[in-house]
Amino acid sequence: MFATASPRRVELAKKLDCVKNGRITPVFAPSNVNEVSLDGKDRAARTARANARLKAEHAAKTHDAPVIAFDTVVGIGDEVLGKPTNKADALRMFKLLCGNTHSVITAVCIIANGKVYEDGETTFVTFGAFDPVVTDRYIESGAPFDKAGGYNIADAELAPIVSSVIGGIDNVVGMPLTLSEKLIEENILYGEARNSH
């Protein structure tokens, strides 16, 4: 079971080879947990990992099938950018991100056969100079408010300010496909095959 109701993650999950070839039939359900924000060294990575685990553990309480959960965090300097709370917060985030490189970390957590498997992936995104026309239009559309860091890299409206992406774009959207496929293969599909003998 995929512990997510994010439309972006639902679409990405459909691109997984194990889904396309019918080896798993994905079931999606929201995992309504109170997310945490940790302090200290490697704050963004540890925050993403903690939240992915919280989501997986919450879902595992009500589902017998293996559970996979994700959490995406945007980190810049010592700050972790979650979902903006209002237009002013979204604008603050864009001013912080523009002209700089930030990291986007997606943590993946699987709970299967009573065991927990965790990993994560980092992508580095650079935004060009702050453009009030582009950002104001994007904020007014309402697009930022359900996204870590206040943006979706796949939104065409943001193309003018995205300078470079080093790493997987799918990771920035919310699900690192190659890593997720590997974790599912090793810890769910292979595990089930091994346990059936």
Side-chain angles (χ1 to χ4, degrees):
M1 192 211 83
F2 288 78
T4 183
S6 159
R8 293 171 298 283
R9 288 196 179 112
V10 169
E11 287 308 306
L12 283 170
K14 293 175 182 175
K15 296 181 180 180
L16 291 166
D17 287 340
C18 58
V19 172
K20 289 191 293 185
N21 64 26
R23 294 182 71 197
I24 66 169
T25 302
V27 175
F28 302 97
S31 185
N32 300 314
V33 299
N34 292 319
E35 296 185 5
V36 299
S37 182
L38 304 181
D39 292 321
K41 189 178 179 183
D42 298 326
R43 183 181 176 196
R46 291 188 305 107
T47 294
R49 193 174 182 124
N51 286 324
R53 186 161 185 161
L54 281 173
K55 293 174 185 178
E57 289 174 343
H58 181 267
K61 289 177 184 175
T62 54
H63 294 82
D64 292 330
V67 168
I68 182 168
F70 309 86
D71 192 67
T72 301
V73 167
V74 172
I76 182 164
D78 293 329
E79 190 163 357
V80 171
L81 304 183
K83 298 167 185 172
T85 53
N86 52 41
K87 291 180 181 179
D89 195 29
L91 182 61
R92 177 189 72 84
M93 289 184 184
F94 273 111
K95 286 184 174 178
L96 193 60
L97 296 173
C98 287
N100 290 301
T101 298
H102 60 273
S103 60
V104 183
I105 300 159
T106 298
V108 185
C109 181
I110 288 177
I111 297 180
N113 306 311
K115 295 181 180 178
V116 178
Y117 308 93
E118 298 171 297
D119 209 338
E121 187 170 305
T122 302
T123 301
F124 296 96
V125 180
T126 302
F127 281 2
F130 178 73
D131 185 326
V133 174
V134 171
T135 53
D136 286 355
R137 187 182 302 133
Y138 190 69
I139 292 168
E140 287 300 321
S141 75
F145 301 109
D146 65 339
K147 302 171 182 73
Y151 76 93
N152 177 4
I153 194 79
D155 288 341
E157 308 93 299
L158 290 184
I161 64 170
V162 178
S163 296
S164 72
V165 178
I166 301 173
I169 285 187
D170 50 343
N171 182 57
V172 183
V173 177
M175 183 187 298
L177 291 176
T178 301
L179 176 62
S180 299
E181 190 89 53
K182 176 177 178 285
L183 290 172
I184 290 169
E185 185 72 36
E186 291 176 353
N187 303 305
I188 296 178
L189 295 173
Y190 177 69
E192 288 177 352
R194 185 174 50 210
N195 291 337
S196 66
H197 293 296

